[in-house]
Amino acid sequence: MNNKTHQVTLSLLEKDYPIACLPEEEPALLKAAKELEHRLRTTRLQQGVVGAERITVMVALNLCYELQQIQSRQATTDTSGDVLQQILKKVEAAIAAR
């Protein structure tokens, strides 16, 4: 770790985890921890999953699935944007050729 990091203690499912981070990353880390804690508790209560490790695995799988969905939509959006740029260039070239 470099000298600029400091420790933040996160509490997840009544267990503390000391995490090193840069001071400017702390707000985002705390926000992520809050969201994770919410998801852990929701999974435990709504789905009846028992055991911290099992709850954590279920939440991790759900987060990975959500990330894949976002990446898939982003790839589609990027491809659409590329196609639109190509069409725009063709239209501009056709107009310029007149």
Side-chain angles (χ1 to χ4, degrees), residues 47-94:
Q47 297 180 14
V49 178
V50 179
E53 182 176 335
R54 195 164 166 81
I55 293 168
T56 303
V57 168
M58 293 301 296
V59 170
L61 285 171
N62 286 331
L63 287 169
C64 288
Y65 176 77
E66 289 175 24
L67 177 60
Q68 288 174 342
Q69 296 303 307
I70 291 167
Q71 288 172 332
S72 177
R73 284 193 300 268
Q74 184 64 42
T76 302
T77 301
D78 289 348
T79 302
S80 298
D82 292 344
V83 170
L84 290 174
Q85 286 294 332
Q86 291 172 359
I87 292 170
L88 181 60
K89 286 180 183 178
K90 288 180 182 180
V91 169
E92 288 172 344

Side-chain angles (χ1 to χ4, degrees), residues 10-21:
L10 306 177
S11 182
L12 303 168
L13 292 180
E14 295 85 37
K15 187 170 180 183
D16 290 341
Y17 297 90
I19 306 290
C21 73

